Amino acid sequence: MDRTRPILADGTLTQTLVLVGLMGAGKSTVGRRLAHALNVDFVDSDDEIVKAAGMPISEIFARLGEPHFRDGERRVLARLLQSPPHVLATGGGAFVSPENREIIAAHGVSIWLRADLETLWDRVRSRPGRPLLEQDEPKAALAALLDARTPAYAKADYEVTSQMNNSHEVVVQDILALLKAQSEAIDAR
């Protein structure tokens, strides 16, 4: 399998596309639309973790702690990446783990949906169920997460910007154009 060519000229997906980035970057929304455009399945790893644990993520964090959640996240990612090529949206912290990055690199292609703090804050501030933001200064916590996680996200195979003034469909088109350009560059060799 050619790691540099996740999509063939006919649009066939050869590897799972793994969307990474901070909460609010649009991984789930973009992922659903991207999967539809590629005619493949879409899977949200957070949804799969909830199914496996039998409880919401906020409850996993509260009852069992973040380390337990991260361990389950790793197991779920490893399982999901054994499936036929699809689009996979990960939780915001998944790609921070070197072990998860190795699993993703071995079985998929990572795409960082990069967004600035104001875009992220606009998208998450009124949405409950984000345990890492349940504190007195949630925007400051989001800023700290963005600063801390950006170096890990920067290790993704590709980067696409998700902006407040861009629709999710624009991001999907940007991803498709990037993958097409990659395929064309290989064909030109």
Side-chain angles (χ1 to χ4, degrees):
M1 181 175 349
D2 187 345
R3 287 210 31 82
T4 61
R5 190 182 189 124
I7 191 167
L8 299 177
D10 68 1
T12 302
L13 193 62
T14 62
Q15 295 175 278
T16 294
L17 300 179
V18 183
L19 304 182
V20 303
L22 205 55
M23 62 183 87
K27 299 179 300 287
S28 295
T29 305
V30 168
R32 280 184 197 88
R33 293 174 183 188
L34 181 60
H36 179 75
L38 293 168
N39 198 30
V40 296
D41 289 335
F42 168 75
V43 180
D44 187 308
S45 67
D46 281 351
D47 291 345
E48 295 298 314
I49 292 165
V50 167
K51 286 181 198 172
M55 66 181 86
I57 290 173
S58 57
E59 190 174 338
I60 298 169
F61 268 74
R63 288 180 49 198
L64 305 170
E66 186 175 359
H68 182 83
F69 172 80
R70 296 297 174 201
D71 185 52
E73 179 177 60
R74 179 191 47 73
R75 290 191 313 271
V76 166
L77 282 173
R79 175 177 54 82
L80 293 173
L81 286 163
Q82 296 303 314
S83 299
H86 61 282
V87 176
L88 174 61
T90 62
F95 205 67
V96 174
S97 160
E99 187 174 6
N100 287 346
R101 286 196 306 271
E102 286 179 24
I103 292 167
I104 291 167
H107 301 285
V109 174
S110 54
I111 301 171
W112 175 23
L113 299 187
R114 183 179 192 147
D116 63 35
L117 178 62
E118 293 308 316
T119 299
L120 297 168
W121 179 243
D122 184 66
R123 292 176 180 169
V124 302
R125 68 177 165 208
S126 60
R127 298 182 72 190
R130 305 211 183 249
L132 297 177
L133 298 184
E134 292 176 0
Q135 48 189 285
D136 292 337
E137 297 290 334
K139 186 175 182 182
L142 184 64
L145 284 171
L146 182 60
D147 288 344
R149 292 178 176 179
T150 292
Y153 296 149
K155 295 177 181 179
D157 296 314
Y158 299 102
E159 176 184 329
V160 174
T161 301
S162 177
Q163 298 177 26
M164 205 176 323
N165 58 351
N166 278 4
S167 72
H168 291 304
E169 191 58 41
V170 168
V171 178
V172 169
Q173 293 307 314
D174 289 349
I175 293 169
L176 292 172
L178 182 120
L179 297 174
K180 182 179 179 191
Q182 180 68 21
S183 288
E184 289 172 355
I186 291 168
D187 290 344
R189 289 185 203 163

